[in-house]
Amino acid sequence: MSTPPPPGYYVPAVLFMTESEDFDVPAIQSHVIRLAKGGVTGILVQGSNGEAQFLSQAERKVAIKLTRETLDANGFQNVVVIAGTGAQSTRETVQLCIDAKDAGATHVLVLTPSTWPPQMTVDNVIKFHTEVADASPIPTMIYNFPVVTAGQDLDSDTIATLARHPNIVGTKLSCGNIGKLHRLTSTFKPTEFAVFSGRSDFFVHGLMSGSAGAIAALVNIVPGLHGKLWQLFKDGKMEEAMALQAKLGHADWAIQKIGGIGGVKSVVSRNFEYGDTVVRSPLKRVTWDSLTINKHYGALEEVIGMEKAL
């Protein structure tokens, strides 16, 4: 029986690029090190924020290897590396899982194929994830994110069926459905099947419902605050935890309103002095000037100030 990744807070790391849209290796390394110093339990390479769908197979393997080697070289051998391996065919997804293991990942996170949504019946979704898990050399996790899978939203019955596979060990719920999360956590022990919130705006709510933690985009910007919230919850300081959760909830909403991946890169490069705002075309680049006039940016400024004061 395979084991899930440890509980905690994880980051679907953005991948910095040069003006030519090649990997900006020094910036990627700086980001990985800052996240590790912020206490993250693990780094998800090629989650939706990692532009996986815009990378070649070779690039995906390089990004995983670079992350693992950067962590190891800087004394962060304990930080877990999870790789996103979703692709449009079972064959390619399995190969990406093999590549992920070779590059140093311990677990993989798998999106459901979405090019032909009418083909993805419940039975076919289960067949796809089962075949991938059967063939993957490392444990797999189910990634439920309707926004990037043409609206496909796996329900708790489907995920529960898959959770009984010996090599499927968890799920990331970017759907934001706390009821679904609670149904799964009340059915499976976290040591068998780990259920992670996929957004920061229900981090504590998920923990209160038995989640294993969160894998959330906002961690790219304020890893330390997520660690503080994690500790407040573990210490039973719920009033303080809920007050901080409120601030992270507003900030999480803000990153959705400032341009997604491009917005996250712009915020990080401006406030932490590494990287640039380049994203792979056709994604949209977000300039600093556009951020300063965005009404939602104030919520991010507040939590960045708190992060720097830690």
Side-chain angles (χ1 to χ4, degrees), residues 18-253:
T18 65
E19 288 291 341
S20 60
E21 297 188 6
D22 295 315
F23 289 175
D24 184 344
V25 172
I28 293 169
Q29 292 174 319
S30 293
H31 192 51
V32 167
I33 293 167
R34 186 176 71 86
L35 295 170
K37 287 181 176 178
V40 298
T41 311
I43 295 177
L44 168 60
V45 185
Q46 291 143 33
S48 299
N49 280 271
E51 300 177 63
Q53 291 78 11
F54 304 96
L55 305 180
S56 69
Q57 181 179 337
E59 286 177 319
R60 291 175 75 148
K61 190 169 184 178
V62 167
I64 300 164
K65 189 171 187 287
L66 176 60
T67 301
R68 182 70 270 165
E69 289 180 347
T70 300
L71 290 167
D72 291 349
N74 288 276
F76 296 107
Q77 292 87 350
N78 62 317
V79 175
V80 177
V81 172
I82 302 173
T85 58
Q88 294 307 305
S89 71
T90 305
R91 182 188 182 100
E92 183 180 5
T93 305
V94 168
Q95 183 58 55
L96 290 171
C97 293
I98 294 168
D99 289 348
K101 180 182 185 296
D102 291 345
T106 57
H107 298 77
V108 293
L109 184 67
V110 183
L111 274 172
T112 301
S114 57
T115 299
W116 292 99
Q119 294 282 324
M120 299 310 294
T121 61
V122 171
D123 286 345
N124 208 21
V125 167
I126 291 171
K127 180 175 182 287
F128 165 76
H129 283 287
T130 298
E131 289 179 348
V132 170
D134 285 344
S136 175
I138 51 180
T140 73
M141 300 171 64
I142 309 302
Y143 188 7
N144 188 53
F145 193 6
V147 170
V148 298
T149 53
Q152 295 178 90
D153 188 2
L154 308 189
D155 62 26
S156 52
D157 289 343
T158 301
I159 297 173
T161 298
L162 291 167
R164 294 180 172 87
H165 189 289
N167 202 37
I168 298 178
V169 298
T171 185
K172 176 182 188 285
L173 297 181
S174 293
C175 54
N177 189 325
I178 193 70
K180 182 187 300 183
L181 182 149
H182 201 187
R183 286 189 291 276
L184 291 167
T185 60
S186 59
T187 303
F188 301 98
K189 296 177 181 177
T191 53
E192 300 169 345
F193 187 78
V195 183
F196 290 90
S197 302
R199 300 186 340 213
S200 296
D201 62 3
F202 72 120
F203 187 8
V204 166
H205 313 79
L207 292 172
M208 292 172 69
S209 299
S211 81
I215 306 172
L218 186 60
V219 182
N220 278 287
I221 300 172
V222 287
L225 279 189
H226 286 78
K228 182 177 180 179
L229 184 54
W230 173 257
Q231 194 60 50
L232 287 171
F233 177 81
K234 289 174 66 177
D235 292 343
K237 298 178 179 179
M238 292 308 299
E239 186 174 348
E240 292 179 63
M242 290 306 292
L244 180 52
Q245 172 66 72
K247 293 185 183 300
L248 293 182
H250 285 290
D252 198 44
W253 180 246

